[in-house]
Amino acid sequence: MSLIVRDMAIARGGVPVLQGVSFDVQPGQALVLRGPNGIGKTTLLRCVAGLQPVLSGQVNTDADRLAYVAHADGIKSVLSVAENLSFWAQIFGRSDISAALEAYQLTALADRPAGLLSAGQKRRLGLARLLVTGRQLWIMDEPTVSLDGEAVHMFASAIRMHLSGGGSALLATHIDLGLAEAHVLDLAPYRATTMAGDAFDEAFL
Amino acid sequence: MIALLIRDLRLAMRAGGGFGLGLAFFLIVVVLVPFAVGPQSSLLSTIAPGVLWLGALLACLLSLDRILALDWEDGSLDLLAVSPLPLEAVVSLKALAHWLTTGLPLVLAAPVLAVLLNMPSEGYEPLIMSLLLGTPALSVIGTFGAALTVGLKRGGLLLSLLVLPLYVPTLIFGAEAARRGMVGLEITVPMLMLGGITCGAIALLPFASAAVLRVNLR
C-alpha cells in the first residue's frame, strides 16, 4: 500500500497552517517530516491518520492498514506492560506480543505496572505497540522523545526491519535516526499564506 | 471487541478505578433520607421507590465523567479511533462496562436499601425489575454526555447539567413502575415505556455518541 498526498491544505483550530503539501510514501520507504515547532507536523500526521479532515487536496491511503503513534502513548498505568500490549494486540486482532517486548527490551519489565516505568520505558512501550498492530504504514509523531541513545538505536532497527518487510513509515522528528534510506521533507516552504476558513467551524464562529 | 470490555472492567476493579464509589454514594444517600424527613415509617415507605430511583440515578451520574475522560487524557481514545474498532462499538462497550460496574451493583443493592426505608416486601420485585430495565439507559445516555464533554477541562459539572434533563423520562417511568408495584397496581404500562426508552437509547445513541466523539477528537 502506498500513501499518496496531493496538494494538501490543513488547518489547526480553524487557522490554516500548511498548504500545497504533496508527497508519496511507497512500500519499503520512510519519510521524515521536518520543520520548526508549530509548522503543523502533528496536524499533518493527524490528517493522514484520518483523525482530522483536510481543508483541501487529497490523501489516498487505506485507513485499515495504518497505525498511529501520538505524543501520548495511551498507556494505562494500573495495567502491567504485558497487559497494555496484549490489549492493543487483541484490538488489532493479533495475540503474540513476545516479539514486540523483545524488540524494545521490555521482556524483563513485562509484569511491572506501566505506571512505574520511566518516561523512556513508557515511550518504548508505546513504540512496541506498533509492532503488535501488524499494520503496514506507521505514522509516528515525535517517536524519539525521552528515548536514550540505545533506545533510539532499537527504534531505528525496528523501522529498518519494518521497511525491509515491505512496510512504510511517516514520521515527524527533530533528531537524526541514522536511517540512511529515509527521505526527508522540510515543511517550512509549505507554510499557509491564505486565510481559508474551515466550513465546519464557521457555523460556530 | 471483548478485549476493550475486559480492559475497562479490569481498570475499574484496580486501584483508583472507582468501582464501588457509586454504590457507596447510593448507600449514603439512602441512609441520609430518614435523617432528613424524619423517622415516620409510613412516610418513608411512601417515598421509598422515588428515593431509591433518584439515589441510583445520582450514583450513576457520579461516575459518568470517567467513561471517556481518562482514555482521552492518556491518548488511548485517539489510538482507539485509528484502530479497527469502529467508534460506535467503542462507545457501546464503554457504556456496557459502565453499566456492569455501576448500574448492576446498584440494582442488586436496591432491595437491601429498601429495607432501610421500610418498603413493603411486595415492592421489591417491581423495584428490581424497573432498575434492571432503566439503568442501561442511564449508562448509554451518560456515555453520550461524556462524549459531548470529552475534551473539556473539568467538564464534570457541565456533563451533569447536560445529562440530568435527558434522564427525566427514565426517572419518571422507572419510579412510577416501582411505586405502582409497591402499592399493588398494574405496572405493565410504565414498564413498557421504560423498556422502550432503554431500547431506543441503546439503538440510537451510540451513533450520536460516536459522531460527537469524532468532532471532539479533531
Side-chain angles (χ1 to χ4, degrees):
Chain A
M1 178 194 74
S2 55
L3 166 68
I4 300 164
V5 171
R6 287 284 170 269
D7 202 24
M8 178 168 72
I10 55 175
R12 174 165 169 76
V15 180
V17 287
L18 289 170
Q19 63 182 24
V21 185
S22 300
F23 58 82
D24 291 352
V25 185
Q26 301 295 337
Q29 282 186 349
L31 179 66
V32 177
L33 301 175
R34 288 198 196 281
N37 293 138
I39 189 81
K41 297 185 291 294
T42 296
T43 312
L44 188 150
L45 293 176
R46 287 179 67 88
C47 287
V48 174
L51 284 166
Q52 205 176 318
V54 296
L55 276 183
S56 64
Q58 280 184 315
V59 179
N60 287 334
T61 182
D62 184 352
D64 291 333
R65 302 178 86 170
L66 61 83
Y68 173 62
V69 171
H71 285 284
D73 290 316
I75 291 170
K76 293 293 177 192
S77 53
V78 293
L79 299 183
S80 73
V81 169
E83 282 171 335
N84 268 298
L85 213 48
S86 51
F87 163 68
W88 287 108
Q90 284 166 15
I91 287 289
F92 284 87
R94 297 160 70 93
S95 56
D96 184 33
I97 61 164
S98 55
L101 286 173
E102 200 70 47
Y104 284 98
Q105 294 179 10
L106 290 166
T107 314
L109 303 171
D111 295 322
R112 190 175 293 190
L116 298 179
L117 298 183
S118 75
Q121 288 169 332
K122 276 184 189 159
R123 195 67 210 175
R124 268 152 59 193
L125 175 54
L127 293 171
R129 196 181 65 85
L130 279 176
L131 292 171
V132 301
T133 60
R135 291 295 177 90
Q136 215 174 1
L137 172 61
W138 290 356
I139 298 175
M140 293 168 280
D141 196 355
E142 304 269 5
T144 54
V145 170
S146 66
L147 290 183
D148 61 14
E150 198 192 342
V152 169
H153 193 71
M154 289 177 213
F155 172 63
S157 56
I159 290 199
R160 232 172 252 127
M161 277 272 284
H162 178 61
L163 297 182
S164 65
S168 48
L170 174 65
L171 58 155
T173 181
H174 293 289
I175 70 156
D176 187 15
L177 292 173
L179 281 173
E181 60 271 48
H183 302 268
V184 176
L185 177 68
D186 188 3
L187 291 174
Y190 301 104
R191 199 188 286 272
T193 49
T194 53
M195 290 296 290
D198 178 354
F200 180 84
D201 283 339
E202 255 170 19
F204 297 97
L205 296 176
Chain B
M1 267 168 76
I2 200 79
L4 181 61
L5 182 66
I6 290 170
R7 182 193 74 150
D8 276 11
L9 293 178
R10 202 180 264 165
L11 285 174
M13 300 295 177
R14 298 229 173 138
F19 178 74
L21 276 184
L23 199 59
F25 178 82
F26 187 38
L27 173 78
I28 290 172
V29 166
V30 173
V31 168
L32 285 180
V33 169
F35 294 133
V37 302
Q40 306 100 311
S41 51
S42 61
L43 176 62
L44 282 177
S45 62
T46 314
I47 61 172
V51 166
L52 288 167
W53 251 95
L54 195 59
L57 188 147
L58 293 176
C60 219
L61 194 68
L62 203 62
S63 49
L64 287 183
D65 62 339
R66 309 181 68 94
I67 297 181
L68 294 167
L70 295 180
D71 274 350
W72 190 79
E73 275 164 21
D74 65 19
S76 323
L77 208 52
D78 276 344
L79 303 178
L80 280 172
V82 188
S83 78
L85 217 53
L87 271 180
E88 285 81 359
V90 171
V91 292
S92 305
L93 288 167
K94 292 251 163 213
L96 178 60
H98 178 260
W99 183 75
L100 287 175
T101 54
T102 309
L104 193 59
L106 293 179
V107 175
L108 299 177
V112 181
L113 296 177
V115 177
L116 293 177
L117 294 175
N118 196 32
M119 191 167 163
S121 57
E122 58 268 27
Y124 290 1
E125 200 190 318
L127 176 72
I128 297 176
M129 290 276 288
S130 67
L131 281 171
L132 207 53
L133 207 54
T135 44
L138 300 183
S139 289
V140 175
I141 296 171
T143 307
F144 174 61
L148 275 175
T149 55
V150 75
L152 299 174
K153 292 266 182 292
R154 284 172 285 282
L157 186 60
L158 179 63
L159 170 61
S160 309
L161 292 178
L162 285 171
V163 162
L164 275 177
L166 299 175
Y167 277 177
V168 169
T170 308
L171 177 64
I172 290 175
F173 291 109
E176 179 66 4
R179 187 192 67 79
R180 291 174 74 97
M182 187 181 74
V183 296
L185 292 171
E186 175 65 36
I187 59 165
T188 315
V189 174
M191 281 295 196
L192 283 176
M193 294 298 284
L194 192 61
I197 292 166
T198 301
C199 291
I202 292 174
L204 298 175
L205 277 179
F207 295 100
S209 306
V212 292
L213 211 48
R214 278 194 190 96
V215 172
N216 271 337
L217 285 180
R218 282 178 181 192

